[in-house]
Amino acid sequence: MRKKLIAANWKMYKTPDETRAFFRDFFPLVVGHERDEIVVCPPYIDLAAALEAARGSNISIGAQNVHWKPEGAFTGEISANMLLSLGITHVIVGHSERRQYFGETDDTVNLRLKAALESGLIPICCVGEVLEEREAGLTDDVLRRQCVRAFHAISSKKAAKLVVAYEPVWAIGTGKTATPELAAEAHAVIRRAAAEIFGEPFASQLRILYGGSVKPENASALMAQEEIDGALVGGASLEAKSFAAIVKY
Ligand code: 13P
């Protein structure tokens, strides 16, 4: 049995004060919840406030990206060491918004993923097709390619902590969720790719989250799929009540 992981991706929302306010409301709603792992990924400037608020609780804090070098002249970037020094445990890598708007490629995703795994951070590596690719029947090829390139030159031993998130780009922020069956099919494609790259035992342990318009109303149907090992939640994670309802699907 793979323990499900429910993660919040706050994207570019909330100040430190708003972060503290979120946790004040959120804690009582999920206190003692052990069935699923809970991770919240706020913007960098909120990480310290989130860590302080979550200390000693059942909630882990993640960042939304990480650079592959330990330090250097890379304006605007943050290294794995920097995140670890704060107490961060998780990091999102290769989100489609990074790929679409900030020039992230399969190769930079691979570099970031390697750096995260080397450092001991738990990466949540995002893959997913855009609408035109789905309509052209290319979904499986795209997912396979993204996995092969993201996992390039990483051993199964190094990849032990890897988490993958399937986020169809057409479902992000659109209110159009993939049906549970459609998501499960895509997860199976990703799991097969992982089996080819890392071996069957690894693939059967790999957690694959679904992301894209996950809401309290659709969470339980998605989580009922055996292939779906959790959720990566954007919009609906910004409000304590709605994120708690998803955690407790
Ligand atoms: P929404 O839940 O807002 O569709 O965002 C999904 C997402 O991109 C999570 O990383």
Side-chain angles (χ1 to χ4, degrees):
M1 264 303 272
R2 301 181 293 258
K3 188 169 183 173
K4 291 197 201 292
L5 190 165
I6 313 294
N9 174 10
W10 282 0
K11 308 191 179 184
M12 199 174 73
Y13 289 96
K14 293 192 193 296
T15 63
D17 278 348
E18 289 165 344
T19 299
R20 284 183 277 270
F22 172 91
F23 281 103
R24 269 197 299 276
D25 295 341
F26 186 59
F27 276 133
L29 303 175
V30 296
V31 67
H33 184 94
E34 298 294 342
R35 181 193 58 187
D36 313 272
E37 278 176 43
I38 308 171
V39 179
V40 176
C41 304
Y44 291 127
I45 62 141
D46 300 324
L47 290 176
L51 281 162
E52 194 174 320
R55 188 170 299 145
S57 78
N58 52 344
I59 300 161
S60 303
I61 305 300
Q64 295 176 16
N65 205 357
V66 62
H67 196 264
W68 53 89
K69 288 281 175 72
E71 61 183 11
F74 301 106
T75 303
E77 293 284 332
I78 303 276
S79 73
N81 280 345
M82 292 169 177
L83 297 174
L84 288 165
S85 74
L86 274 186
I88 295 301
T89 49
H90 293 69
V91 65
I92 298 170
V93 170
H95 192 278
S96 65
E97 285 149 19
R98 300 296 319 167
R99 296 177 190 251
Q100 265 187 300
Y101 307 132
F102 302 102
E104 199 83 60
T105 64
D106 287 333
D107 292 335
T108 56
V109 172
N110 174 245
L111 289 170
R112 293 183 198 273
L113 188 57
K114 273 194 221 155
L117 288 167
E118 293 274 346
S119 73
L121 285 167
I122 300 169
I124 301 174
C125 180
C126 302
V127 295
E129 80 286 1
V130 300
L131 187 61
E132 297 74 46
E133 291 165 336
R134 173 155 289 273
E135 287 177 343
L138 295 172
T139 300
D140 294 8
D141 293 345
V142 169
L143 296 177
R144 256 193 69 81
R145 188 208 73 219
Q146 289 177 337
C147 288
V148 167
R149 299 222 184 135
F151 307 158
H152 176 70
I154 298 174
S155 69
S156 57
K157 192 161 167 249
K158 276 266 158 63
K161 291 181 171 177
L162 173 68
V163 176
V164 174
Y166 169 59
E167 297 210 311
V169 178
W170 49 269
I172 296 178
T174 57
K176 282 191 217 150
T177 325
T179 62
E181 294 73 23
L182 196 142
E185 268 172 37
H187 285 217
V189 171
I190 293 166
R191 203 174 297 286
R192 272 200 300 280
E196 283 164 30
I197 298 163
F198 296 124
E200 192 63 54
F202 180 96
S204 64
Q205 297 297 315
L206 175 68
R207 288 186 294 180
I208 306 176
L209 318 183
Y210 169 77
S213 297
V214 177
K215 309 281 175 218
E217 305 78 58
N218 58 28
S220 60
L222 286 160
M223 294 309 123
Q225 291 285 335
E226 207 184 303
E227 265 296 342
I228 301 184
D229 304 309
L232 183 54
V233 188
S237 74
L238 293 170
E239 209 254 315
K241 245 173 135 171
S242 93
F243 188 50
I246 293 171
V247 167
K248 298 202 238 168
Y249 56 86

